[in-house]
Amino acid sequence: MARLVIVSNRVPIPKARGASAGGLAVALRDLLMPGTMWFGWSGRLVSEPAPQPAIVEARGVTYATVDLTAEAHRGFYVGFANGALWPLLHFRLGLMHFRREDYQGYLSVNQSFAGSLAPLLQPDDTVWAHDYHLIPFARMLREEGFDGRLGFFLHVPFVPPSMLEAMPVARELVADLCAYDLVGFQTEEHARDFRDCAQRLLGARVDGEWIRLDGRRVRAFADPIGIDAQSFAQEAERAASDKLVQRVAGSLSGRALAIGVDRMDYSKGLPHRFEAFGRLLEKHPEHKRAIHFLQICPRSREEVDEYRKLRVELDRLAGRINGRHSDFDWTPLRYSTRAAPRSTLAGLYRIGRIGLVTPLRDGMNLVAKEFVAAQPDEDPGVLVLSQFAGAAQELTEALIVNPFDPDAIADAMHQGLTMPAPERRERHMALKEKVMRTTAQAYCRRFIDALQATSFTRVAA
Ligand code: F6P
């Protein structure tokens, strides 16, 4: 196979601080064989970026990164990617702040990424770009003369045409996505919405998964991402000896643990979830003193106003719920903005009686899959899952809820807390079978195979 070049905003250079690609690095681990290259932002802001990418080799993989100026980062990442595209793609038009200068900044950073990567490429390389930061990247890399296969995967949701049209540069974005040979989405619904956008906004012809435009064709398909379920399950078992997991387990004093783990992001539905927990204690007072809800939500993107506002709101809500329901020796809601290592999270999921995954909108949500993989088969917990997470398309045996309805979440928590063991086991086994089957490895293989198969689509439109 030709060399694979992965491109993403963040790059998981082993041991580099501030440059982690988090879940992406885990999802793509199987592809990181010697000879592979990973290109993107170094995580550093400098006043004068070096003219050439910095190269680091680790275990045969080449990591090539570029620095950004604070100004470029502001327009590209804070302004357009996270101030406009992120809210739009999460169905939050009211939070979308579009500014032309941010879009220009977004284009410039993509242009400089393409300009920096092009000289490092060989003609038969296969390039796989990730996520909404890199929509115009393929067009720009083509303009730099690269003629190999170019794939793109969108980790977040996609919206229907009626919503995308609110974005002033919607046509440019859809046209730029069509410059890739293959575009992958988390669910069939998102892939279909994208094809509909190409048809309505660009007048493209759609034939099944194929979009025909300007004498070429691009395939838009669903390739749901997964986790390395086997190793996560083992990690969860091993984590029984993790000090923090032991401390949390001990502090429960036999009470049930409901657990949520999310980046602090308005798409995750955290205020509704906090509200729901308060409702549970009001509507079903038998759970008072019998449950702890632990919400771990590491702070995120604090350069963006909406994220700072969310933090203030969660602080207020947590105070209100605990003020109202606590006892002198029982605090119902534990809320921490500290990040925890993956192995500790695995152990915490394992002792969770309820996993709360209630985003208002989410591409996939791997916490849902991790919670399932971590559960003990003989006495499993129950997953409460938003109908608007991509994971709900697959994990239908979870308790599926509308995340905008705190009462529905509260009722599902009650149902989970009172569910007889045989039903918990039956649901869990069905969920686990799916999580074990739709793994990260399967996701990568499907994408790479589909990308290899697009070899001549650019000339045979
Ligand atoms: O969900 C999309 C995503 O890009 C994830 O892949 C990633 O873990 C997360 O957002 C992190 O965002 P950021 O790079 O802005 O911190």
Side-chain angles (χ1 to χ4, degrees):
M1 195 182 105
R3 186 174 70 150
L4 176 66
V5 178
I6 298 165
V7 186
S8 63
N9 175 44
R10 295 195 193 257
V11 178
I13 307 172
K15 299 216 170 77
R17 302 193 75 217
S20 155
L24 186 57
V26 177
L28 302 184
R29 193 160 47 200
D30 264 29
L31 297 177
L32 293 185
M33 49 187 83
T36 306
M37 176 185 278
W38 197 321
F39 175 88
W41 177 42
S42 63
R44 280 188 301 268
L45 298 179
V46 300
S47 48
E48 288 257 337
Q52 313 286 341
I55 307 283
V56 172
E57 304 273 344
R59 285 180 229 102
V61 177
T62 303
Y63 296 88
T65 57
V66 288
D67 300 334
L68 291 176
T69 63
E71 194 194 345
H73 183 254
R74 209 164 26 249
F76 161 69
Y77 176 86
V78 181
F80 192 69
N82 288 310
L85 272 179
W86 178 273
L88 168 71
L89 295 175
H90 288 85
F91 292 66
R92 300 294 289 275
L93 284 186
L95 302 181
M96 179 176 89
H97 299 294
F98 174 81
R99 299 193 321 157
R100 271 207 186 255
E101 53 275 36
D102 292 338
Y103 179 56
Q104 283 313 322
Y106 176 78
L107 293 177
S108 304
V109 169
N110 271 272
Q111 183 65 65
S112 80
F113 276 18
S116 300
L117 178 61
L120 307 180
L121 292 177
Q122 295 153 14
D124 63 346
D125 282 345
T126 292
V127 176
W128 185 5
H130 288 264
D131 233 351
Y132 57 102
H133 314 89
L134 296 171
I135 290 174
F137 181 72
R139 170 171 63 83
M140 292 166 172
L141 201 58
R142 292 273 182 245
E143 286 164 7
E144 293 287 332
F146 178 68
D147 200 30
R149 295 181 188 101
L150 257 164
F152 175 87
F153 186 78
L154 186 69
H155 290 259
V156 298
F158 199 79
V159 291
S162 55
M163 192 161 278
L164 195 78
E165 277 174 332
M167 162 61 79
V169 292
R171 294 186 76 250
E172 289 86 334
L173 293 170
V174 177
D176 278 346
L177 277 174
C178 288
Y180 285 94
D181 296 309
L182 177 70
V183 183
F185 295 86
Q186 299 278 22
T187 67
E188 179 49 36
E189 184 184 3
H190 301 148
R192 198 181 49 236
D193 282 341
F194 173 66
R195 295 190 295 259
D196 288 351
C197 285
Q199 196 165 33
R200 180 145 137 199
L201 275 63
L202 305 179
R205 205 149 59 78
V206 173
D207 181 8
E209 292 182 333
W210 294 91
I211 299 168
R212 289 166 193 273
L213 181 71
D214 299 336
R216 54 182 303 281
R217 57 182 198 151
V218 47
R219 182 177 171 203
F221 82 136
D223 182 15
I225 200 166
I227 61 169
D228 184 348
Q230 198 72 48
S231 85
F232 197 82
Q234 287 161 358
E235 196 152 10
E237 257 183 72
R238 273 199 306 271
S241 58
D242 180 295
K243 290 267 178 320
L244 184 54
V245 175
Q246 285 179 345
R247 266 178 24 223
V248 174
S251 72
L252 295 174
S253 310
R255 298 180 177 109
L257 175 70
I259 183 163
V261 177
D262 308 79
R263 260 184 328 101
M264 192 181 287
D265 192 298
Y266 52 78
S267 65
K268 303 294 182 185
L270 294 165
H272 299 73
R273 195 182 303 171
F274 281 19
E275 194 75 39
F277 182 57
R279 294 282 168 93
L280 172 79
L281 300 177
E282 280 155 28
K283 290 174 75 168
H284 304 283
E286 67 269 33
H287 299 304
K288 281 197 167 197
R289 302 185 59 86
I291 185 170
H292 281 288
F293 170 29
L294 170 61
Q295 176 64 52
I296 300 176
C297 42
R299 287 146 65 175
S300 170
R301 301 180 191 163
E302 291 190 296
E303 314 92 315
V304 183
D305 281 349
E306 295 304 333
Y307 289 73
R308 284 198 298 271
K309 288 188 205 153
L310 174 65
R311 177 143 194 239
V312 173
E313 187 182 1
L314 291 178
D315 287 352
R316 186 182 61 79
L317 275 173
R320 204 184 75 193
I321 290 165
N322 278 336
R324 173 134 189 228
H325 297 285
S326 300
D327 222 329
F328 294 158
D329 61 345
W330 173 62
T331 308
L333 171 57
R334 302 172 180 187
Y335 149 65
S336 171
T337 59
R338 273 177 41 199
R342 203 175 143 72
S343 54
T344 303
L345 291 179
L348 292 176
Y349 294 142
R350 190 171 174 86
I351 59 171
R353 183 64 199 284
I354 303 285
L356 281 172
V357 180
T358 57
L360 304 181
R361 211 41 88 156
D362 219 332
M364 175 54 66
N365 197 303
L366 294 180
V367 170
K369 297 191 173 183
E370 289 174 349
F371 179 80
V372 170
Q375 289 305 303
D377 293 341
E378 57 298 345
D379 186 22
V382 175
L383 176 64
V384 175
L385 178 61
S386 162
Q387 68 187 86
F388 301 121
Q393 301 295 312
E394 300 169 55
L395 303 184
T396 47
E397 291 80 8
L399 297 181
I400 305 290
V401 293
N402 182 331
F404 292 92
D405 184 355
D407 281 292
I409 301 174
D411 291 345
M413 288 182 81
H414 174 68
Q415 188 185 344
L417 288 166
T418 53
M419 188 180 284
E423 183 180 348
R424 280 191 280 124
R425 278 196 289 271
E426 194 178 318
R427 286 177 184 268
H428 170 68
M429 290 323 285
L431 291 169
K432 190 167 170 189
E433 186 278 320
K434 291 176 180 174
V435 169
M436 290 284 171
R437 187 160 39 84
T438 61
T439 56
Q441 294 87 330
Y443 154 80
C444 290
R445 182 64 21 236
R446 242 186 338 260
F447 194 93
I448 296 296
D449 286 351
L451 191 51
Q452 297 305 319
T454 62
S455 45
F456 295 108
T457 56
R458 273 172 292 119
V459 284

